[in-house]
Amino acid sequence: MADVRTNAQPDAETVVEAPLPPTHIAVRREDYTPPDWLVPETRLDFDLDPDRTRVRATLAVERNGDHSRALRLDGDGLTPLSVRIDGEDARWRMEGPALILDIASDRATVETEVEIRPAANTKLMGLYASGGMLCTQCEAEGFRRITFFPDRPDVLSKYSVRMEGDRVRFPVLLSNGNPVASGEAANGRHWAEWEDPFPKPSYLFALVAGDLKPNRDSFTTMSGRQVDLAIWVRGSDLPKTAHAMASLKQAMAWDEKVYGREYDLDLFNIVAVSDFNMGAMENKGLNIFNSAYVLADQETATDGDFDNIARVVAHEYFHNWSGDRVTCRDWFQLSLKEGFTVFRDQSFSADIGSAPVKRIEDVRVLRAAQFPEDAGPLAHAVRPDSYIEIANFYTATVYNKGAELIRMFATVLGPEKFRAGTDLYFERHDGEAATCDDFVKALEDASGADLSAFKIWYSQAGTPRVKARIEHDPEAKTATLHLDQHIDPTPGQERKQPMPIPLKTALVGEASGHEICPERLIVLDQAEQQVAFDNVVEAPLLSINRDFSAPITVEANRKPHELERLAQTDTDPFARFEAIQELMMRSLVAGANGQDPDTESVIRAVAATLNSNSLDPAFKAEAILLPGESLIADRMTVVDPDAIHASRDALRRALGSDLRDSLLSAHRSDGAAGHDLSPAAKGVRRLRTVALGLLAAGNEREGASLAKAQFDRADNMTDRQGALGILVSLDAPERQAALDAFYQRFHDDPLVLDKWFALQAAAQRKDTVDAVRQLASHADFTMGNPNRLRALAGTFGVNHWAFHSADGRGYAFLAEMILAADKLNPQVAARLVPPLGRWRRYEAGRSELMRQTLERIVAARDLSKDVFEQVSKSLA
Ligand code: 0A1
Ligand code: ZN
C-alpha cells in the first residue's frame, strides 16, 4: 500500500493515494533540476534524550524562480508532530517519506516538530547513540532522519542550533561554528547555542552531546588569527590524541603553504566516536571521526595506523575548502570534493613522509580496490550517471581514481598553472555548490590550456590497457614507440572512446644503465599512436608510465632480463618498483597457469634490491613484497584460487630459502626505536617484517621462532602485529600462544581487539573459514560496531584463497553476515558484497556457487536498497 499520510484528511477512506516515490529506482544525473525552494536560514532546537529526542526546525524558505510547485521536505522515518507556516497550523501531506506543503507566498517561515529515537538508530545515519554519547552523521542523506528538510547539497543554509540535555550524561554540547550562549535548565539539564556563519548544505550539519574531554591546542593562521583546536574523546583516551593533534596542525600549515588556504572559523573541533560507518566526516568546524583515525600510541597503533591518522585528519581538514566552502551541486559530483581532497591528502602525506613510497602505496590501493571495481559488475564512472543508493558510491573509483584524474590535470598543467587553477576555482565558487565541469573550467581559464579531451575520464568507466612496444634502429640511432589503448566494455558502456593518457616516458640504455632519452610527457590520445625518439645511442629499455602518471595498466614487450635491468637502474623509483613487480607477476601468472615460472630472474632481482646500498629500507620492503593473490587473479582468464595460491606460495618459498642470508640481515637490521616515527625508522620496521614473512615461507620452523621472538620483544605495535600476522598463517605452537597473549593483553582496547579479529580473518590457512565462523560467535564479536564487523567479515572477504574455498563455505559465511548486518546497518552490509560480485571470472564450480549465493541474498525479504543495488547489479 502506498504510504500516504496527511493531517488534512485523517480519515483513511478519503485519503487520495499519491504515487509512492519508488525507493529501489535509480536517480539519474541527467534529471537534475535546481531546487524549487531555498532555505537561507535554519534554526534547530534539540531536546536531547537517547530514547526520544524532540527536534523543532524553523526554516526561512524562499521560492526559487517563477513556479507554483509545493515545498517538498525530505524525511526518512519521520512523522510530523506539528507543522506551522508563518506561525499558523498548516495543512500538510506526506508523499512516501517526504512532507509536502503548499505555500502561496514567495517567502515563509516553516516550523516542524518531530521526535526521533537515537538509541534505536542502528543505521548510524542521522542522530544516533554511541558509547553513551549522541552524535550525528548526515552525509549523504542522513539529515532527513533528523528533521524535514530539502536534503540535497545545493540548498545552502545558515544554521543556528540550540540543544538541551542532561548535564551529567551530556556535559559537553557541540555543533558547527561558534558557541554563542549556554546555561542551566530545569531538572538537571543544561543547554548550549551554536551558530555557524557559513551557509552550508544539510549534509555538513553536526551535533555531539557527551561526556568528553578535550585535548586543546591552538594554531596561528597565515594572517595571524588564532584558532582554538580541540580533539574530544573519552577521558581515558586523552593520552592517545597527541599524534592526531600534531597531524592537524601540520595539515593546517600545509594547506596554507601549498594551496594558500587559511582556516576560517575561530574554532576547530574533532570528536572521536567508536561506532562510525566510514573513516571520518568533514562537518563544518566539527569533524566527527571513527576513533580508529584519532587514537594512537606506540603500544597500540602500528606505523600504518599513525600514517592513516595523519592522512584522514588532513583529508577532513582539507575538506574545509574542497567540500565545505565549495561544495557539490548534486551527489553525482561527489568526486569534485572527494577526488580532489584525496589528491590533496596524498600530496600532504608524500610531503611529510617518503614521496616515492607514498606513491607506491597509493597505487597499491588503487590496484587492489579500484581496478577490480572497474573490471567488475559494479563498474561506474568517476562521475556516475545513476544510482539507487548514493551510499554505494563512496567508492575507490570516486575517491581514488578521482584523485588520479586530478593528478593527471596537475601533471599536464605543471605545478604553477595547476595552483593558479585551484586558486581560481576556490575564488570563483566560494560559497557555492559546484560541478566537476566547473572545476575543469577554472583550471582551463587560469591556465589557458584546453582540457576538454580529459573530461572523458569523468564519464567513461574502465581501466585503459595500453600496449607499448619499442623498436630500435641502431643504424639511424632512432627508436619508435608503438602505443595502443583498449578499454573493455563496462555495464551500460559497450563502446569505449580512446582517452587522453599522459605517459611519463624515458629510455634507459640497456648496456650503460643510463637514461639515454630523458623523461618526457607523451599524451596518448588515439587508439594507436607512434612516438619517435632521436639520439638513441644504444639498445633502449622502455621506462613508461613513470610515477604512475596515468591510472592504467601497461603491457610492454619487455623481456625478463630487461625488467631485471630496469629494476636496478631506472632512476624513477616507481618505475623501478614496477619492473620488479612485473617480473614477479609474470612468474606468478605463469606458475598459476601451470607454465614455467622462471623463478631465477625474480630471485636475482629481489636479491639485487635487498643487497643494494643505495635503496632505503622502506622502498626495498615495497619492492620485494609479492603482488597479492587478487591481483594475480586479475591477470588470469579463468581464476583458479588454489593454483594462484600454490604459485605464490612456491615463489615465496623459493625466495625465502634462496635468499635466507640477505633476508636475515634485513630482518635484523637496526635503527628503529619503537617511539621513532621518522620515515627511516618506519622503513626499517617494515622491511623487518616483510623479510620475516619470506623467511617463514622458506623455513616454517625458523620463521615461527623468529616471529615469536619479534612478537615477544616488541616494544611497539608495528613489530608485534607484523609478527602475529606471520604467525597466524603457520602451523606452529607459537601461533596460538601469541594469539592468546595478544588477546589477554589487549582485549579491553576495542581498536586493538579489531586487529586480533582481522589478523585471524586474514590467515592463509585451510581452516580460516572455520575460524571466522567461530569468531563470529565470540563474546567480543558484535555486528553493531562497523569496525568489528569489517575486521572480521570485511577482512575475510578479501582473503582470496580462504574466501574462495572450493566448497563454497566462505561464500555462505559472507552471505550470512551480509543478511544479518543488513537488518541493522545496510550501508555497512552493502560494502561487504563486492567480493561475491566477481563470480563471472572464476572457474565453473566457484562461479556457480557465488552466483547462487548472490541469488539467495537478493531473494531475502525486506532487503535494504543498499544491498539490493549491489547484489542485483552483480547478477545483472
Ligand atoms: N565525506 C567523508 C566520507 C563519509 C561519507 C559518508 C558517511 O556516511 C556514513 C561518512 C563519511 C569523507 O570523505 O571523509
Ligand atoms: Zn572526503
Side-chain angles (χ1 to χ4, degrees), residues 53 351 386 476 646 671 722:
T53 287
D351 283 356
S386 76

Side-chain angles (χ1 to χ4, degrees), residues 137 139 278 280 282 315-316 319 337-338 394 399 827:
Q137 172 54 40
E139 187 178 6
M278 309 275 243
E282 69 263 24
H315 179 99
E316 304 311 329
H319 268 315
K337 73 177 176 83
E338 297 304 347
Y394 288 75
Y399 275 63
Q827 245 181 43

Side-chain angles (χ1 to χ4, degrees), residues 768-778 792 809 812-813 816:
T768 294
V769 58
D770 304 305
V772 290
R773 213 171 246 297
Q774 278 194 359
L775 285 168
S777 329
H778 193 280
L792 186 66
R809 285 187 306 145
F813 172 74
E816 282 170 41

Side-chain angles (χ1 to χ4, degrees), residues 418-495:
F418 180 71
R419 169 65 195 272
T422 59
D423 281 353
L424 180 60
Y425 167 72
F426 287 126
E427 187 196 346
R428 188 183 269 175
H429 298 289
D430 189 8
E432 290 180 5
T435 63
C436 298
D437 286 338
D438 291 332
F439 183 82
V440 179
K441 185 78 169 57
L443 295 186
E444 289 184 322
D445 289 352
S447 65
D450 176 1
L451 296 171
S452 52
F454 275 87
K455 284 201 195 176
I456 193 171
W457 281 96
Y458 279 113
S459 56
Q460 187 164 276
T463 306
R465 281 189 283 133
V466 171
K467 285 212 177 85
R469 183 166 58 84
I470 188 92
E471 225 175 20
H472 182 211
D473 182 342
E475 309 287 80
K477 295 192 172 41
T478 59
T480 310
L481 174 61
H482 300 262
L483 297 168
D484 69 61
Q485 60 168 302
H486 175 83
I487 308 163
D488 287 330
T490 55
Q493 291 184 344
E494 276 311 305
R495 280 227 172 64

